[in-house]
Amino acid sequence: MDGAAKEAGAPDLVLVLGRRGRTDPDVAGGKGANLAELVRAGFPVPAGFVVTTAAYRPPDLGPLGTAGPAAIRGAVVRAGLPHDVADAVCVAYRNLGGAVAVRSSATAEDLPEAAFAGQQDTFLNVIGEQDVLDAVVRCWASVWTDRAVDYRAGHGIDHGRVRMAVVVQRMVDADFAGVAFTSDPVTGNRHALVIDASPGLGESVVSGLVSPEHIVVDTRRPKVVRRTAGHHGAYVRSRPGGGTERAAGPRTAGPALPAPAVRQLIRLARDVERHFGRPQDIEWAWADGKPYVLQTRPITALPERTGVAGLPGRFRQTARAMLREVLPVRPYPIDMTAWLGPLIALLDKAVEATGVACPPASRMFIEDNGVVVRVEIPVPRPTPRLLTAPVRLARAARRRDPALWRSDPLIGTMRARADELRTLDIGGCSWPELTALLKEGPRIAAPLLELRLRYFPRTLLALAVLYVSLSLLRRRRLTGALLAGVETLTADANRALEDLATAIRADAGLSEAFARRTADELCEALHTSMRETAPGFVSGFDTFLDVYGHRDTVTPLLLTQGTWRDRPDIVLGMLKSLASQDPPPPGPGPGGQAETALFQHPVLRLGPEPLRSAVRVLLRQARWFQQIRDDTRFLAMLPLPAMRQALLEMGHRLVAEGVLDTAEDVYHLRLEELDGIGTWPPAPGLAAGLRERASDRKAGRAGLARTPLVPPAPAQPIDLAHAEVLLRGAPGSAGTAEGPVRVVHGPDGFAALRNGEVLVAAYTSPAWTPLFRRAAAVVTDAGGVASHAAIVAREYGIPAVMATLDATTRLSDGQSVLVDGDHGLVLRPRR
């Protein structure tokens, strides 16, 4: 047994490092669990032990919660270690002996979605039992630093559920130390291994105190492809008798890390990544001619894999732009399994019909524990069947006339089945009936694919001929306008909205109410006073929601984002805006104006009448595309209100059974998990499992809040010949941002930083983390890709440039700059 004696069945207070593995972060914390896994796998990890979460005594947040983090920290320090914990720690330390490193290892630390870089404390070169005990207490107290509290709040992590373990390891008095990323954390290149190194302890690198030696390795060979000397104005080393100190170092230097060390670190880092199965951020030390792993964690906010040049790259960029438009919100697990997933399956069928081979679209969504982490765009591949596509398209075009598409029986079937769902008493449905309703929704929407396959061919051919004709007439710029103004169900909804706005303008009382009140206040009045003062308007509004209320508020691809019927305040906000404006002028819209301009072309104006008639037919058939596309989307959304109502009803029932905290937490469960409940109420073991999965996924999703689902397009190369470069440094976090400079020299200047300003500092530490919420970008004198500033900038999704050497002296407050995190440049914006 580890540590001091304990009662039979009692949890371990102290464990020798390696007794548990990576599946036990609830016992050893994130850092401790990863290190234990490395020890068990035989990696070179300094010997040590873990003070487990069972030893942690969380403070009572009841009386202390209103007093703030400082009061909680003080209470933790005053309470000290319980006698049983202190005894167990002392026994374990005597077995280890000598100088040790004492590191925090919270249960919400070193996670794939949140690195918690430096948010809790680490104490190096600790010597003696009492100092070790004090360091453990201070690690516990660091759970409640302002920076850690702010970081958890920003990632949606419940303060009350965090538990702290503490890792105590034999101190490695390093000759060199630093960080190795097994993928490039800035570009996302999975074939680039990045090593940052500095003399002395790794604190020099992770704190950003130095600009480290920077080594980039192409792992496919493997070979060092770039090596940049460091700037070591100072470094951190162990101090005799305990603690650390800064020592002066050379301002610049050539290659410092020995070649054998580089080779061994490459092998070690790749082995660690292979073991964990994902890109890793590894802190290492080099001492006595061999490497040690001090900790490892998944790389957070890793950009999407970079595409190859040429057509696949252009395809991915186009696909990214489309996906950002239709998926502005990260899908929930229930979206992926109850709505988006089935719709994606329809897309696969459509792609297959074209003669193009492509991996299933569902593979685009990369998940971790049921949470969609990112989207990776597959590249389609032509097959021999694509050669016959024009022939097949022409044959299909002859079979169906798009002018008759609205009379297709499939539309009546879709509407009838959706009406059946709307008339159901959701509250009276059994659990199996609710899950059956969720499964029925996609089946109602499925005919949209068949409708498009039936009626798109002729209109697609017409579009192609129109495009070629306009190109020959040099009127291609009219294409968009010519296709506008088509009669669609969306256009009907817009006219209905304008009719309601006209009613508001015509009624003085309504006009004043909409001018003075917010959308939320109008929503409340709609159900109270307006029913007496404006019954005609209320009746018209209810009719509008009855016909058009299934329209999505964000995107039709996500069940969880609500509809107009769920959010009438959104419709009232639109009416508030429309009513404040003059009604649209009568006369032809953009489509009619463009058509008039087209027929003024000499070829058409002076040509024979059959030519003009043919062009009018071509226009009419091409315009059907817009109507079919919009209306089938409109029809496909018909089941959404009933599905959302059923889903939230399930959420409320799970809340009543103590499975979930809120009804909306049901979004974090998958359809098969809800279906697996079967009989009601759920068995205790099943209920506990569902609660744990929903909680874990909720935290995982919150941790990705600042990581875009669809990465932005790669930065375009900057023409340096026509741009004024103010500073050159090292890329720390990708992207570009423009804003006024704010030079911050320390905590006294924190309050000066305003939203949208560019934070300029010598370097940052964890205490600076809250500033990243306000900053548009970060520029530092020192640091590298592994420094605190770079890691947190990547998690917050803002560009960062490291190692500029003198940004704090060359830039001034209020100066407008463009920060290019992709290329490590600070530029003067072009005007």
Side-chain angles (χ1 to χ4, degrees):
M1 182 181 69
D2 300 299
K6 62 168 185 162
E7 296 179 6
D12 291 300
L13 302 177
V14 172
L15 288 171
V16 171
L17 199 59
R19 276 279 304 276
R20 298 295 184 109
R22 59 177 149 170
T23 59
D24 296 301
D26 291 339
V27 175
K31 186 182 285 99
N34 287 343
L35 283 172
E37 179 68 20
L38 289 172
V39 171
R40 290 161 64 91
F43 286 93
V45 175
F49 60 89
V50 178
V51 184
T52 69
T53 55
Y56 176 65
R57 304 294 192 265
D60 182 1
L61 297 184
L64 289 172
T66 57
I72 300 175
R73 288 197 306 275
V76 172
V77 172
R78 287 192 299 272
L81 291 180
H83 292 302
D84 56 342
V85 177
D87 290 344
V89 171
C90 287
V91 169
Y93 175 67
R94 289 180 204 129
N95 292 334
L96 194 61
V100 294
V102 182
R103 306 174 188 271
S104 66
S105 182
T107 53
E109 193 173 74
D110 288 357
L111 302 175
E113 64 276 0
F116 275 78
Q119 300 307 310
Q120 279 90 222
D121 287 340
T122 290
F123 303 94
L124 301 177
N125 199 32
V126 181
I127 302 173
E129 290 182 12
Q130 188 55 53
D131 284 350
V132 170
L133 296 177
D134 290 344
V136 172
V137 172
R138 284 186 286 169
C139 282
W140 284 0
S142 71
V143 173
W144 300 102
T145 59
D146 292 338
R147 63 181 185 260
V149 170
D150 181 83
Y151 192 88
R152 287 196 297 272
H155 284 76
I157 296 172
D158 184 356
H159 302 301
R161 298 189 66 188
V162 175
R163 296 292 182 268
M164 175 67 83
V166 179
V167 176
V168 181
Q169 289 177 280
R170 185 167 289 133
M171 185 70 190
V172 177
D173 198 10
D175 301 316
F176 296 92
V179 176
F181 293 96
T182 61
S183 292
D184 191 316
V186 178
T187 67
N189 187 347
R190 269 54 168 188
H191 300 300
L193 188 151
V194 178
I195 299 173
D196 277 2
S198 174
L201 303 179
E203 179 65 16
S204 307
V205 175
V206 298
S207 68
L209 177 64
V210 301
S211 298
E213 181 177 14
H214 186 70
I215 302 168
V216 179
V217 179
D218 184 341
T219 57
R220 289 168 294 191
R221 289 179 252 187
K223 180 182 179 182
V224 173
V225 293
R226 188 166 70 251
R227 188 164 188 167
T228 307
H231 300 273
H232 312 127
Y235 65 95
V236 178
R237 67 186 181 189
S238 297
R239 186 175 58 197
T244 62
E245 62 183 5
R246 293 185 184 180
R251 185 64 173 166
T252 60
L257 192 62
V262 174
R263 288 194 294 270
Q264 291 192 49
L265 284 171
I266 293 170
R267 286 196 296 270
L268 179 62
R270 296 180 72 185
D271 287 344
V272 171
E273 180 187 56
R274 193 175 298 112
H275 182 77
F276 282 93
R278 62 186 305 164
Q280 294 290 299
D281 169 357
I282 304 163
E283 289 189 28
W284 57 268
W286 178 265
D288 301 324
K290 58 183 178 180
Y292 294 89
V293 179
L294 304 182
Q295 64 172 296
T296 188
R297 60 193 173 210
I299 300 177
T300 56
L302 186 64
E304 183 187 17
R305 302 169 193 263
T306 52
V308 296
L311 177 60
R314 291 197 297 272
F315 172 82
R316 284 194 175 98
Q317 289 184 31
T318 303
R320 281 195 193 102
M322 294 173 61
L323 276 173
R324 279 196 296 273
E325 180 179 346
V326 300
L327 275 181
V329 179
R330 189 179 305 277
Y332 285 85
I334 195 65
D335 288 316
M336 293 301 302
T337 52
W339 186 246
L340 179 58
L343 293 185
I344 287 174
L346 297 179
L347 175 62
D348 290 335
K349 293 180 180 178
V351 171
E352 182 182 356
T354 64
V356 173
C358 191
S362 58
R363 294 186 189 173
M364 292 192 304
F365 298 89
I366 309 303
E367 297 186 13
D368 184 6
N369 188 32
V371 179
V372 176
V373 177
R374 65 182 183 277
V375 174
E376 293 188 354
I377 311 296
V379 178
R381 179 174 51 83
T383 68
R385 192 165 181 263
L386 185 62
L387 297 174
T388 64
V391 175
R392 288 184 285 110
L393 184 66
R395 288 176 178 172
R398 288 198 300 269
R399 285 197 295 267
R400 302 278 183 172
D401 183 356
L404 304 176
W405 89 272
R406 280 187 169 178
S407 60
D408 194 294
L410 282 178
I411 295 176
T413 302
M414 291 176 70
R415 288 187 177 277
R417 293 170 67 184
D419 286 342
E420 288 178 13
L421 292 190
R422 289 178 57 188
T423 59
L424 287 176
D425 175 16
I426 300 295
C429 288
S430 66
W431 190 268
E433 288 171 336
L434 291 174
T435 56
L437 189 155
L438 292 180
K439 295 175 185 176
E440 176 67 6
R443 287 195 284 264
I444 292 174
L448 79 87
L449 174 64
E450 178 60 29
L451 286 168
R452 290 183 173 187
L453 290 177
R454 287 180 182 180
Y455 298 103
F456 266 174
R458 188 181 297 186
T459 191
L460 284 173
L461 283 177
L463 274 172
V465 175
L466 177 65
Y467 185 82
V468 172
S469 302
L470 291 174
S471 298
L472 293 174
L473 294 173
R474 297 187 177 181
R475 293 293 186 272
R476 198 167 61 187
R477 58 183 172 79
L478 296 176
T479 304
L482 286 170
L483 298 178
V486 181
E487 290 299 315
T488 66
L489 294 174
T490 297
D492 293 345
N494 292 338
R495 279 192 291 270
L497 274 174
E498 183 55 44
D499 290 343
L500 288 172
T502 299
I504 294 170
R505 296 189 202 100
D507 186 302
L510 276 175
S511 184
E512 182 180 3
F514 272 80
R516 288 175 169 269
R517 296 180 178 181
T518 66
D520 287 337
E521 291 170 341
L522 288 169
C523 195
E524 182 178 351
L526 192 73
H527 297 93
T528 53
S529 59
M530 282 189 188
R531 293 201 173 273
E532 295 182 3
T533 60
F537 172 79
V538 172
S539 175
F541 187 82
D542 288 343
T543 299
F544 176 87
L545 288 184
D546 191 54
V547 177
Y548 303 107
H550 64 283
R551 293 302 304 266
D552 57 280
T553 59
V554 177
T555 170
L557 297 182
L558 299 181
L559 169 63
T560 54
Q561 296 307 302
T563 62
W564 285 356
R565 187 173 286 120
D566 302 313
R567 295 288 309 278
D569 57 302
I570 292 178
V571 182
L572 290 167
M574 290 189 288
L575 287 174
K576 180 178 170 70
S577 175
L578 288 172
S580 67
Q581 306 169 25
D582 294 331
Q593 295 171 10
E595 187 170 341
T596 299
L598 173 64
F599 281 95
Q600 289 302 312
H601 190 284
V603 171
L604 296 177
R605 182 165 51 86
L606 302 176
E609 178 58 32
L611 175 62
R612 290 190 290 272
S613 297
V615 172
R616 290 190 185 96
V617 171
L618 187 65
L619 274 175
R620 187 167 60 251
Q621 293 187 344
R623 285 170 173 167
W624 288 121
F625 176 83
Q626 182 80 5
Q627 185 185 86
I628 296 169
R629 187 186 67 178
D630 281 17
D631 285 7
T632 51
R633 167 179 155 164
F634 182 96
L635 293 167
M637 290 183 287
L638 288 172
L640 283 178
M643 292 180 69
R644 273 186 53 79
Q645 189 180 353
L647 184 62
L648 290 173
E649 173 65 23
M650 299 169 93
H652 286 299
R653 294 185 190 183
L654 290 170
V655 169
E657 292 295 323
V659 177
L660 301 177
D661 295 327
T662 68
E664 288 75 14
D665 285 349
V666 74
Y667 299 163
H668 299 286
L669 296 175
R670 297 172 64 86
L671 178 58
E672 59 266 27
E673 292 168 348
L674 295 174
D675 195 21
I677 291 176
T679 58
W680 190 260
L686 178 59
L690 291 173
R691 181 175 182 83
E692 181 179 3
R693 281 192 287 274
S695 177
D696 289 347
R697 290 169 185 164
K698 185 176 183 179
R701 180 185 177 86
L704 293 166
R706 296 181 185 88
T707 302
L709 173 68
V710 183
Q716 297 301 312
I718 294 176
D719 183 2
L720 298 181
H722 298 89
E724 183 179 353
V725 178
L726 300 176
L727 292 167
R728 295 178 186 270
S733 178
T736 58
E738 183 179 336
V741 164
R742 178 66 62 183
V743 181
V744 179
H745 294 287
D748 290 343
F750 284 4
L753 183 71
R754 299 288 182 262
N755 287 339
E757 290 184 328
V758 174
L759 171 62
V760 177
Y763 63 94
T764 70
S765 69
W768 297 58
T769 301
L771 274 64
F772 285 68
R773 282 188 177 183
R774 305 200 295 267
V778 179
V779 179
T780 63
D781 291 347
V785 292
S787 65
H788 169 269
I791 291 174
V792 178
R794 290 194 293 269
E795 289 194 4
Y796 278 73
I798 60 175
V801 174
M802 311 283 103
T804 61
L805 301 182
D806 50 8
T808 52
T809 57
R810 292 182 56 186
L811 301 178
S812 56
D813 287 347
Q815 179 181 0
S816 184
V817 297
L818 174 65
V819 179
D820 177 10
D822 298 277
H823 303 94
L825 300 174
V826 179
L827 306 130
R828 190 186 305 279
R830 288 185 242 179
R831 298 300 181 196

